[in-house]
Amino acid sequence: MAKKLFYIILLYIVALPVKAQIAFSDSLQISLVTCSEGPDAYERFGHSAIRVLDLKKSDMDLVFHWGVFDFNAPYFVWRFVKGETDYQLGATYTESFVGDYRRRGLSMTEQILNLDQSEIKTLFDAIWENYQPENRVYRYSFFFDNCATRPFNRINSATDNSIKFDTTWVKPITLRDMIQEKTNTNNWLDFGISLAVANRADRQAYFKEQMFLPGYLAEAYNNATIGGKTLVKEERTILEMRPEIREKIEAQPFITSPKIVCWAIFILFLILWRFAILGRKWASFSIRSFESIFLFVTGVTGAILYFLNFISLHPAVDHNVNCLWLLPTNIIFAVLIWVKSAEKVNRIYFFIIFAGIIAYAIINACVRQYVNPAFGPLLFTMICICAHQNQRLLYWRKK
């Protein structure tokens, strides 16, 4: 992982010479370069770039891509979580760009576009102006302004929106469906995204919205025309994905999958509860410890969701119905369940949790936000904790 990050950072910090040192001829070729997804989370959605090749000067071969960010920027992590992530247009020589993906074992394709020299010059001038230090930074948005939407918009603008897209290949699909095509389901990445991304991602995505994924952008160009000609003059494969990398991407966990782990958590609680009912002293302590850990973990998760929902500027994370059952205050009650004098407060709180779960079920039936299969056993566990806590509180009262 560290080696991969080193190569990525090395690629991103390569800067092109100043404009005075860039001398293109009047014979340029523009290509859309599409890089495949990789096995790691940050690689899962692929990458898009624009290649500018001088057909008369083979050494003038550049790649421009809108995927550069600065790890060392002030408060980078805080700004990233808050949704104020600033990306920028990066540029490097094609040989370096391809070399990075070759080392990582990923695939890369190139679509040479059927643009005339006037359109190419307009596009290059716009990209070069964008590359100037005062212009290259932009506010990144995963769904609506990223490494794929930027080339799409720049090329459309340079051609005066004369590209005609045949959308008969476009299927009815949501933004979440598109994400899951790349992340696969039943893994922890999909689980985390299911928690954080709200129902905004569950409505059908328009054609232009689908262009946020590099693979969909490439497909759109394969089904487009300009001036009565096909937009893609030639498509070729630059790199093939190594078989072991493909195996990692397609690998599906079983024992460690969220669904199996969450059902195991639920079953473990039921076992502990059964032994506690039978009067086993060790079970009584164990089940309360279990509940304390469970409440703490769900409380921390809830705190993150509430931050994303009410403070973060990320799109599609607000109005998240998961906030109804993942409450940040669980952190406090992870401690209070051990305090006998907090009996009344605990009773009220666990009633609120139960009511929140009922509200979640009712509201979600209306808004239809995606429910990850692993959420079910977690909700059952939370309901059982509410029931056990009320049972224990009654026991305290009798004593």
Side-chain angles (χ1 to χ4, degrees), residues 23-25 27 53-61:
F24 282 104
S25 72
S27 184
L53 171 64
D54 191 328
L55 297 175
K56 294 182 178 179
K57 300 179 179 180
S58 59
D59 59 325
M60 300 307 295
D61 188 359

Side-chain angles (χ1 to χ4, degrees), residues 34-52:
T34 304
C35 309
S36 72
E37 67 272 20
D40 295 318
Y42 69 92
E43 302 173 315
R44 277 291 178 170
F45 305 102
H47 194 40
S48 293
I50 292 178
R51 180 184 182 184
V52 181

Side-chain angles (χ1 to χ4, degrees), residues 131-200:
Y131 183 66
Q132 300 312 301
E134 66 274 16
N135 301 328
R136 63 179 65 163
V137 176
Y138 73 101
R139 181 58 49 84
Y140 174 83
S141 171
F142 176 72
F143 285 120
F144 307 115
D145 197 355
N146 66 8
C147 71
T149 62
R150 287 262 158 170
F152 177 75
N153 292 329
R154 290 293 181 277
I155 293 172
N156 279 352
S157 178
T159 57
D160 289 327
N161 295 304
S162 60
I163 299 174
K164 305 299 181 184
F165 293 97
D166 179 1
T167 59
T168 55
W169 63 276
V170 177
K171 54 187 176 182
I173 194 171
T174 67
L175 295 174
R176 196 185 304 272
D177 291 333
M178 295 173 67
I179 293 174
Q180 289 180 333
E181 286 181 353
K182 298 301 180 181
T183 62
N184 298 323
T185 56
N186 199 29
N187 58 49
W188 290 105
L189 177 59
D190 178 58
F191 179 84
I193 293 174
S194 300
L195 282 174
V197 177
N199 65 306
R200 164 68 178 79

Side-chain angles (χ1 to χ4, degrees), residues 187-239:
N187 58 49
W188 290 105
L189 177 59
D190 178 58
F191 179 84
I193 293 174
S194 300
L195 282 174
V197 177
N199 65 306
R200 164 68 178 79
D202 293 308
R203 70 162 177 78
Q204 185 172 329
Y206 301 115
F207 168 72
K208 287 188 176 180
E209 290 178 329
Q210 295 182 17
M211 297 303 100
F212 84 96
L213 280 185
Y216 278 72
L217 175 60
E219 184 67 21
Y221 276 18
N222 276 332
N223 290 274
T225 58
I226 183 168
K229 306 172 294 184
T230 58
L231 177 61
V232 177
K233 180 165 56 176
E234 179 186 348
E235 182 174 14
R236 68 188 189 93
T237 299
I238 298 175
L239 295 173

